[in-house]
Structures are given as structure tokens and as C-alpha cells.
Amino acid sequence: AWEILELARSFYEINLNNNPDDDTKLKLADCYDLLGEVSLENENFQQASQDFEQCLKLRKELHESKDPTDRSIVDKENDDQKDLLKELQAKLKDLEDSEAQMQTLKNDLLSTIHSVTASSSSKDAPVNDLTSKIVKKRKANSDKSDADRNKQAKK
């Protein structure tokens, strides 16, 4: 990978010297970026630093005049990012507080359920036996059959 990237880098540098355009400069910057990544993987930190510096230099030449806040060249936080970070931290704190409140409510609910079930299952509670008060009614079918028997008897 390193050999191919070196070949591409030299091709883009020759091409840039003969015909300077933004597209070639962008490709060369990307090539330096990838070379820096490969150097990091190989733990060649000095070469990685040089490659990344070249990449940053080319990207600044490309983007600084058009968009000075382009993500490929900005290495520091601006005020909008700081405000966004503060807002997100506040939301995180609110979520953590809400989670703590939900846990407290859950614990309270569980303790209430346990106390209710414990008191309802105690053996000391009086039980009212109402089975003697139940009155059975005659079935509707038996009334009809009695009426039918009476009619047949009359005939």
C-alpha cells in the first residue's frame, strides 16, 4: 500500500507542477493523508507527522479562501461548537437526573407492591364465608317444561 501511495504522490506532484489545478491539489492532499495513516500504522511517527503537515498545508491552500471553517482544515473549536457542547452536556445531565428519578419511583413502587402483597397474604385477616347466603334459582328451561306439562294435561 505504501509503494502505491508513494507512486500516486509522485504522479500528483509532477502533475501539479505541470498543470496546477484544485482537483490535483485535492488528490495530492488525500494521498498525503493516506500516507500519514500508513505511517501511523507502521509506527513511523516522524514520517506520519510530515505527511499530515503536507496534507494540512495543501488543504489550507484549497479551502482557506473559500471556507475558513472547513472541517478538513480546522484544528480548534469555535464558539458554535462550544455552545453545542454545553447544550449537549446540559441535556446529558437532565437525562441522568431523569434516570435517577425513574429509579427512585421504581423502587418506591416495588416497595409499595411488596407491602400490599405482604399485608393481603397475612393469616390474621378475617374471612367472611357467604356460601350459606347463596340462593339457587330455578332454571328457565324447567319453568317451560312445567308449563308444557300443564298444557298437555289440560288437553
Side-chain angles (χ1 to χ4, degrees):
W2 180 81
E3 290 176 5
I4 299 297
L5 288 170
E6 276 295 317
L7 182 64
R9 181 197 53 80
S10 60
F11 171 77
Y12 289 132
E13 283 181 345
I14 291 169
N15 208 7
L16 188 64
N17 290 334
N18 294 336
N19 185 15
D21 66 339
D22 287 349
D23 189 45
T24 305
K25 208 178 266 191
L26 180 62
K27 289 179 182 178
L28 183 59
D30 290 340
C31 191
Y32 273 117
D33 187 28
L34 291 172
L35 280 167
E37 293 291 332
V38 170
S39 295
L40 277 178
E41 286 292 321
N42 292 325
E43 297 181 3
N44 188 351
F45 302 116
Q46 184 177 4
Q47 184 62 45
S49 174
Q50 292 171 1
D51 291 336
F52 285 136
E53 285 175 4
Q54 281 297 108
C55 174
L56 183 60
K57 178 184 168 195
L58 289 168
R59 286 184 178 169
K60 280 184 177 182
E61 289 175 12
L62 282 170
H63 299 294
E64 209 163 36
S65 62
K66 297 175 190 171
D67 185 11
T69 61
D70 190 287
R71 291 185 122 179
S72 62
I73 61 172
V74 176
D75 297 320
K76 59 183 178 191
E77 293 181 356
N78 61 21
D79 290 336
D80 292 338
Q81 289 172 330
K82 289 178 183 176
D83 292 340
L84 179 63
L85 182 63
K86 286 179 184 177
E87 183 180 334
L88 290 174
Q89 286 173 338
K91 286 183 180 183
L92 178 63
K93 187 178 184 306
D94 290 343
L95 284 173
E96 289 170 346
D97 291 345
S98 296
E99 187 176 325
Q101 289 175 349
M102 290 296 287
Q103 188 63 37
T104 302
L105 289 173
K106 180 181 172 185
N107 291 339
D108 290 347
L109 183 61
L110 287 174
S111 66
T112 303
I113 289 172
H114 289 302
S115 66
V116 167
T117 55
S119 67
S120 67
S121 66
S122 68
K123 296 180 181 179
D124 298 337
V127 176
N128 294 330
D129 185 15
L130 301 176
T131 54
S132 63
K133 304 286 184 185
I134 296 174
V135 178
K136 294 184 179 179
K137 290 187 176 183
R138 295 176 101 187
K139 292 184 180 178
N141 290 341
S142 64
D143 289 341
K144 285 185 181 179
S145 62
D146 289 340
D148 290 340
R149 282 188 218 141
N150 289 338
K151 283 184 185 177
Q152 287 179 359
K154 289 181 183 180
K155 286 186 183 180

